[in-house]
Amino acid sequence: MTTGNSRLIVVSNRLPVSFRHEKGVLKVEPSSGGLVSALVPILREHGGTWVGSPGIAGLGEEGGSNQPEEAEVERLLSESHDNAYSYLPVHLSAEEQANFYEGFSNEIIWPLFHDLQSRCRFLPRYWDYYQKVNCHFAEASLKAAKAGDIIWIHDYQLMQVASTLRRKRPKSRLAFFMHIPFPAPDIFEKLPWRKEILEGLLQHNLVGVQTLRDERNFIACVRSFLPEARIERHGDKRIVTHNDLKTSVQYFPISIDFKQFSDTAQKKSVIERAAIIREELRDSHIALGVDRLDYTKGIPERLRAFSGLLRDYPDLRGKITLFQIVVPSRETIVGYQNLMAEIERAVTHINGEFGDTSWVPVHYLHRSIPREELIALYRAANTALITPLKDGMNLVAKEYCAARSDNDGVLILSEFAGAAPQLRTGAILVNPYDEIGVAGALNRAMHMGRDERRTRMSRLRAGIRRNNILQWRDNFFAAME
Ligand code: F6P
């Protein structure tokens, strides 16, 4: 680890635990998503402070807080906190949450950066709240950090935090990692605040993105919208000089704790549970989908491809089951509620059309799954069907391979997932918009021989074992030095 004696302050929109109200009681549960699963092992090993929101908002009025509830959140946080690191919660009012999180983050940046610009609502007030809430995060980070500490800011919700930090503490060591894709200039240019966003990012000493494609897009955007910036190449990284500040820009494909997944997958209880799942599904070919509920994950498109498979290859009916897990997410946003209804209609339709007394074509779970049960499902599944329309990385693809310590299983992966360049030699790559192509890939996976499956899976596992999350962290901190 190369952070020397400096402490690590991680800043992300969400803490690794989130709160919600259930029947009048405050409940705490692990947060979902790739960011949390990647960063927890790092903080556990390194220690430090995690600054983030507990996920529930306070009262409606601007700046309104709900002090008794905030105190309760803090009490529960101190109880649930990991001994290795501490939490520093940033409390938001309902209005801030609505405009910063649901609005700017998830109705502008999220769809735009996933190339889905027609879903964007460019409301000017969203931008005002985004800046204001980013200031709250900056102030909390200043409370947590001493001079010399590394402040490591994460993801698209917090692209303006560094502007305040740099103003208040000019010598801060600031790093940023973008977990989602960075769009090409012809998409990014739609953003009314494109210059401000780039200038905010260029306040960091290091900006990390997921893939070479994202690095090229980021640099192309800087060239187009900040033409006064100077860009040089230094080995693997680009150095952007803007307003006398130098920022390194580099890509670091994020990963998982390979060993933990692989070891858990070899536990007797997990192997037994996988066998039970297979038996319960009558040894049919299990194609597994695991996604946060999100329109970028391509779930309706996947269901259409599966329906096409059953229509076009009638001999496969009764022999294949799609096991689709959808982890609830962003439930207060209308687009997400509509998506859930669309998925449920499609599942009902497929089961109604093709199912019979002995076979349910699609098993659909709408909830999060405990880690060991998920790993048992990975082991039980013959194929992982991971077909996002666009994805920063997609750690489920890597988790599936890490769990296959038996060197079996086929990975079907979207060519638009950030993981595709790393996993292309072992996976079957598909275009998620091409329903016939996805159905064909499933048919191919079903008929793939044991030797080919073994060769492909060993290759996938070797790559992920090497490029694991600790390697990712070391590369990132080495670049920070
Ligand atoms: O990886 C993208 C991301 O937005 C992360 O920032 C977050 O952890 C995850 O998806 C889940 O999203 P949300 O925090 O909006 O539920």
Side-chain angles (χ1 to χ4, degrees):
M1 188 69 192
T2 52
T3 54
N5 290 329
S6 5
R7 286 174 63 249
L8 185 58
I9 312 298
V10 163
V11 191
S12 69
N13 171 50
R14 212 179 258 287
L15 286 170
V17 288
S18 293
F19 290 79
R20 66 186 169 80
H21 294 112
E22 199 182 275
K23 296 184 188 131
V25 181
L26 204 52
K27 288 262 176 209
V28 52
E29 56 195 19
S31 303
S32 65
L35 184 155
V36 165
S37 49
L39 292 180
V40 164
I42 295 181
L43 268 155
R44 238 177 227 156
E45 202 186 284
H46 190 62
T49 300
W50 194 319
V51 178
S53 139
I56 45 163
L59 299 176
E61 322 85 61
E62 205 167 308
S65 72
N66 179 352
Q67 276 167 359
E69 185 164 272
E70 285 173 15
E72 178 61 0
V73 164
E74 285 178 23
R75 191 185 64 76
L76 289 169
L77 275 177
S78 64
E79 272 175 11
S80 71
H81 97 110
D82 202 306
N83 285 335
Y85 59 96
S86 57
Y87 297 141
L88 201 158
V90 178
H91 298 286
L92 303 181
S93 72
E95 212 163 320
E96 287 170 340
Q97 177 84 351
N99 290 284
F100 148 77
Y101 171 72
E102 291 162 19
F104 198 84
S105 303
N106 288 321
E107 285 181 3
I108 298 182
I109 300 295
W110 180 266
L112 189 71
F113 281 32
H114 287 87
D115 301 349
L116 297 167
Q117 43 194 308
S118 58
R119 286 184 175 260
C120 294
R121 297 211 308 149
F122 294 107
L123 302 189
R125 72 160 194 277
Y126 287 171
W127 170 241
D128 298 337
Y129 276 92
Y130 186 76
Q131 288 171 286
K132 185 168 165 229
V133 170
N134 271 236
C135 266
H136 294 336
F137 276 86
E139 275 146 21
S141 313
L142 286 174
K143 261 192 231 151
K146 296 194 211 51
D149 290 348
I150 294 181
I151 304 183
W152 192 8
I153 301 160
H154 289 264
D155 230 357
Y156 65 104
Q157 301 96 340
L158 302 179
M159 294 185 284
Q160 294 286 297
V161 172
S163 310
T164 306
L165 292 174
R166 194 56 80 206
R167 208 173 45 248
K168 297 208 167 170
R169 222 183 261 173
K171 292 211 155 33
S172 299
R173 299 171 72 193
L174 304 179
F176 182 88
F177 188 76
M178 180 68 102
H179 292 253
I180 69 171
F182 202 92
D186 60 334
I187 304 262
F188 186 72
E189 70 185 351
K190 311 289 177 335
L191 185 65
W193 309 279
R194 60 196 187 196
K195 255 185 106 185
E196 291 85 340
I197 289 292
L198 291 176
E199 283 167 349
L201 288 170
L202 293 176
Q203 299 299 317
H204 299 91
N205 303 92
L206 172 63
V207 170
V209 292
Q210 296 274 26
T211 65
L212 179 59
R213 171 197 66 189
D214 301 318
E215 183 189 305
R216 287 188 177 143
N217 285 346
F218 181 76
I219 294 295
C221 287
V222 171
R223 254 196 204 110
S224 301
F225 307 116
L226 299 177
E228 67 282 13
R230 205 174 71 236
I231 301 167
E232 297 154 281
R233 175 174 280 292
H234 281 246
D236 285 346
K237 60 185 161 211
R238 312 287 192 108
I239 309 278
V240 180
T241 311
H242 186 249
N243 289 341
D244 295 331
L245 249 167
K246 278 188 192 305
T247 303
S248 303
V249 180
Q250 201 175 334
Y251 74 96
F252 305 90
I254 203 165
S255 195
I256 56 163
D257 187 342
F258 177 90
K259 189 170 178 316
Q260 207 230 340
F261 277 91
S262 187
D263 289 353
T264 309
Q266 290 171 67
K267 279 169 73 173
K268 192 161 164 271
S269 56
V270 171
I271 294 174
E272 282 170 3
R273 177 68 192 135
I276 292 172
I277 295 170
R278 296 208 48 76
E279 210 179 293
E280 283 174 348
L281 293 177
R282 298 165 164 267
D283 274 328
S284 71
H285 184 103
I286 304 174
L288 177 67
V290 182
D291 308 87
R292 231 174 15 80
L293 178 73
D294 203 291
Y295 49 80
T296 60
K297 303 293 182 186
I299 305 169
E301 292 79 359
R302 186 181 311 161
L303 289 165
R304 279 199 290 277
F306 186 65
S307 173
L309 176 85
L310 300 179
R311 197 184 44 242
D312 298 343
Y313 302 84
D315 54 312
L316 298 185
R317 293 182 198 164
K319 297 188 185 138
I320 181 167
T321 301
L322 175 60
F323 201 107
Q324 178 63 55
I325 297 170
V326 174
V327 178
S329 175
R330 305 182 189 164
E331 288 168 303
T332 49
I333 302 173
V334 179
Y336 286 74
Q337 293 160 5
N338 295 340
L339 175 67
M340 190 172 93
E342 186 185 348
I343 293 170
E344 290 180 351
R345 268 197 310 272
V347 170
T348 310
H349 194 86
I350 297 173
N351 288 342
E353 188 174 350
F354 298 106
D356 59 29
T357 49
S358 63
W359 170 61
V360 180
V362 185
H363 281 252
Y364 166 70
L365 305 189
H366 178 228
R367 54 174 183 263
S368 36
I369 305 289
R371 174 67 66 100
E372 284 211 13
E373 174 71 1
L374 182 63
I375 295 178
L377 273 161
Y378 286 151
R379 267 201 90 112
N382 303 77
T383 298
L385 186 57
I386 301 173
T387 54
L389 306 181
K390 184 138 189 183
D391 212 335
M393 179 54 53
N394 197 299
L395 294 182
V396 171
K398 294 187 175 181
E399 290 174 6
Y400 175 68
C401 302
R404 298 315 302 248
S405 47
D406 56 349
N407 277 315
D408 207 343
V410 180
L411 173 64
I412 299 179
L413 180 63
S414 161
E415 54 194 358
F416 308 132
Q422 285 184 307
L423 305 184
R424 62 180 321 121
T425 57
I428 302 180
L429 290 192
V430 290
N431 172 354
Y433 292 98
D434 173 9
E435 290 165 21
I436 296 176
V438 173
L442 264 175
N443 184 39
R444 183 173 161 205
M446 276 186 87
H447 294 99
M448 193 182 280
R450 176 80 181 96
D451 287 350
E452 184 178 352
R453 295 202 305 266
R454 174 179 281 280
T455 312
R456 286 173 174 267
M457 187 49 78
S458 316
R459 214 180 276 151
L460 287 165
R461 285 173 57 78
I464 303 165
R465 185 186 290 114
R466 206 172 37 250
N467 297 308
N468 62 41
I469 188 67
L470 300 178
Q471 187 61 48
W472 176 80
R473 173 205 65 187
D474 289 348
N475 293 344
F476 194 89
F477 284 113
M480 188 72 189
E481 293 301 304

